[in-house]
Amino acid sequence: MQPYSPERRTALVLCGTGAHGAYHAGVLRALEEAGVKIDIVAGHGVGAASAALAAIGGSARLWDEDGVWRSGAAAAFYGWKSPLRASAGLALLLVAALAVLAAFEASGVVAGRRWVAIVPLGIVLLLLLTLTMGSLLTDRAGRGRRRTRGQLWWRLLGAPLDGIRVREAFAGALWQLIRGASPAPSSPMELGRRYAEALTENLGQPGFREIMIVVTDLDARIDLVAALLREPYHREFVAARRGRERGAEIVDFTGPGRDRSLDVIAGALTPPVVCDPHPVTFGVDSYWRGETHRLCDRPGASARLLEELAAAGVTQAILVSGVPREQKPHRLSAPWLDLRRRSAEFLAAAEAAALRDALEMARLRFDSVYMIAPSHNPVGPFDVAGAYDEASDRRQDLTELMTRAYEDAYHQFIEPVVGASGERLAHAEPQ
């Protein structure tokens, strides 16, 4: 393993899901303040969205007071779908009505008991109506591009978490950076095209970097690799490869694929199973001939990212993940029972295992590989409102997670690695 050198082609690889994007924000802030040279930003999951902002000099939109992770809007990311939340409220109201009815029965009061008995029935009917209408509306929204199979209620219950708000938040942050004096885009395709064009036109200017994103195509059962690379690396990226149908697995942001850049980012922001996959309709002139495919994240995509980065001429990689590097004895906590927390635990465990495998592979492909990750992080992928830390008996929010990430970047990489190489550092304290 060779020492760090700013002369080498360097990639920053951001991995993780949901709230771990706040960890990316802290690391990005530290690297930018220290003047660390990054040639290409890459990511999967929420790391893809962080990379999209960093590629056009918009990393500050992640940590600013009105940015993605500090504005307060993050507390609504990956919440239960609205019909389910309404149904939960009605269920509690039903329990309260039944308790009142039981009190009437126990007291022997006759007057008004008939009217009280009607209330639970009305709540039950309203509850059924809410679930039915929620399923119908969700099914109607999903049928715009693809047919579905299975019972109607699984449209609502099969993927109970809402991934729309986080997609809208990042789309809004991207639009603020590229809008200029032009009118608002009329569609996600137009916003995606404007983003790709802005990056293409300014590539090589201060703050602008190459980008690579990996997202999983559930229909094709392959990883899609989307990128905007400068020459000669772009030529190698789109070139045919033995044993692979390259046209099926790449999205070139410098070609027709630029219209799908926002769709690729939205797909990466979609955790598997618990959220509805994001549909993307390919162009009729593409390999998929106008088909609509479903995209989502894959926790183990870090290895594929590193493989593609090595082929793109990267010789030095910095991996960033909000998942702790390793667990130690006496760190167990009581497991959660609800689906949201169980899914988060699996995603974090899968990400940690995938990163270990990816690091072993990366050491064979790169001159040097570095890892920035917390030693302890109680905030899980879906803990967007913060989490209670049993180890310290207190709550930790996303602002604190960003501060810890800022410190980790200095202690794990900037001071021992960049500082040891003789590079001048611009030390700055986190706010």
Side-chain angles (χ1 to χ4, degrees):
M1 194 67 65
Q2 299 183 21
Y4 171 83
S5 171
E7 302 302 321
R8 294 198 187 96
R9 183 163 162 80
T10 305
L12 179 66
V13 186
L14 306 172
C15 309
T17 303
H20 289 172
Y23 193 84
H24 300 156
V27 172
L28 279 165
R29 183 177 184 181
L31 296 180
E32 290 198 2
E33 290 183 359
V36 176
K37 184 183 76 71
I38 302 295
D39 298 289
I40 176 171
V41 284
H44 75 87
V46 71
S50 301
L53 287 170
I56 58 174
S59 300
R61 296 303 306 162
L62 295 170
W63 65 73
D64 281 346
E65 290 297 329
D66 60 343
V68 174
W69 298 112
R70 275 188 171 172
S71 64
F77 294 170
Y78 301 112
W80 300 101
K81 289 179 177 177
S82 298
L84 290 178
R85 294 200 304 271
S87 299
L90 288 171
L92 292 175
L93 187 60
L94 177 60
V95 171
L98 291 174
V100 172
L101 181 60
F104 268 86
E105 292 287 348
S107 63
V109 177
V110 178
R113 188 170 61 186
R114 178 181 176 184
W115 295 106
V116 175
I118 296 177
V119 173
L121 178 60
I123 295 176
V124 170
L125 293 176
L126 187 58
L127 177 60
L128 293 175
L129 179 62
T130 300
L131 290 173
T132 303
M133 290 302 296
S135 298
L136 287 171
L137 291 174
T138 308
D139 184 65
R140 183 178 180 182
R143 279 188 178 181
R145 301 185 185 181
R146 291 286 300 275
R147 293 181 297 109
T148 56
R149 294 183 293 180
Q151 299 299 328
L152 179 64
W153 53 78
W154 287 119
R155 168 64 76 171
L156 181 63
L157 301 177
L161 301 189
D162 186 2
I164 295 177
R165 293 187 180 183
V166 64
R167 298 169 190 160
E168 291 177 343
F170 276 99
L174 289 171
W175 171 238
Q176 288 180 355
L177 291 169
I178 65 175
R179 61 185 177 183
S182 58
S186 58
S187 67
M189 287 182 60
E190 184 181 352
L191 175 55
R193 181 168 60 253
R194 291 192 189 182
Y195 170 79
E197 289 173 350
L199 182 54
T200 302
E201 293 169 0
N202 294 281
L203 195 61
Q205 298 297 319
F208 289 82
R209 306 179 178 99
E210 300 165 73
I211 186 173
M212 182 177 290
I213 294 171
V214 168
V215 65
T216 297
D217 186 333
L218 294 178
D219 293 286
R221 299 181 182 179
I222 58 175
D223 287 328
L224 292 182
V225 185
L228 194 154
L229 305 173
R230 61 183 176 87
E231 295 293 355
Y233 309 109
H234 171 264
R235 192 181 312 116
E236 178 63 26
F237 175 69
V238 300
R241 297 187 185 180
R242 179 177 298 179
R244 289 182 175 176
E245 183 55 65
R246 194 61 174 164
E249 64 178 8
I250 67 169
V251 179
D252 182 10
F253 286 169
T254 64
R258 64 180 179 272
D259 293 346
R260 275 76 190 175
S261 61
L262 190 64
D263 282 318
V264 171
I265 296 168
L269 284 168
T270 305
V273 184
V274 293
C275 288
D276 288 319
H278 180 72
V280 55
T281 301
F282 294 97
V284 294
D285 57 343
S286 70
Y287 177 88
W288 295 109
R289 305 298 184 188
E291 292 182 358
T292 296
H293 288 203
R294 299 164 299 154
L295 307 184
C296 70
D297 180 36
R298 181 173 67 86
S302 51
R304 181 62 189 277
L305 263 177
L306 291 172
E307 174 190 336
E308 293 286 344
L309 288 170
V314 171
T315 59
Q316 199 165 243
I318 308 166
L319 274 70
V320 180
S321 173
V323 178
R325 290 190 177 191
E326 59 184 15
Q327 292 295 344
K328 298 180 180 179
H330 308 298
R331 289 280 182 90
L332 294 180
S333 59
W336 293 89
L337 299 178
D338 65 279
L339 176 63
R340 192 165 181 260
R341 297 279 189 160
R342 285 185 174 185
S343 300
E345 287 180 336
F346 168 77
L347 290 172
E351 182 69 38
L355 280 170
R356 282 192 289 269
D357 294 341
L359 282 170
E360 290 300 318
M361 181 274 291
R363 292 188 177 99
L364 303 176
R365 293 177 177 267
F366 299 94
D367 292 339
S368 51
V369 183
Y370 306 96
M371 183 78 187
I372 302 175
S375 58
H376 173 65
N377 181 15
V379 178
F382 298 145
D383 292 328
V384 288
Y388 171 74
D389 183 11
E390 294 186 0
S392 60
D393 193 23
R394 63 183 182 86
R395 285 192 63 81
Q396 179 173 320
D397 59 18
L398 297 188
T399 299
E400 183 178 350
L401 179 60
M402 283 188 278
T403 302
R404 297 287 81 79
Y406 183 97
E407 295 171 352
D408 287 344
Y410 267 96
H411 297 158
Q412 298 176 21
F413 179 71
I414 296 172
E415 292 172 348
V417 177
V418 181
S421 72
E423 289 297 298
R424 183 174 60 86
L425 300 179
H427 291 281
E429 293 297 326
Q431 296 180 0

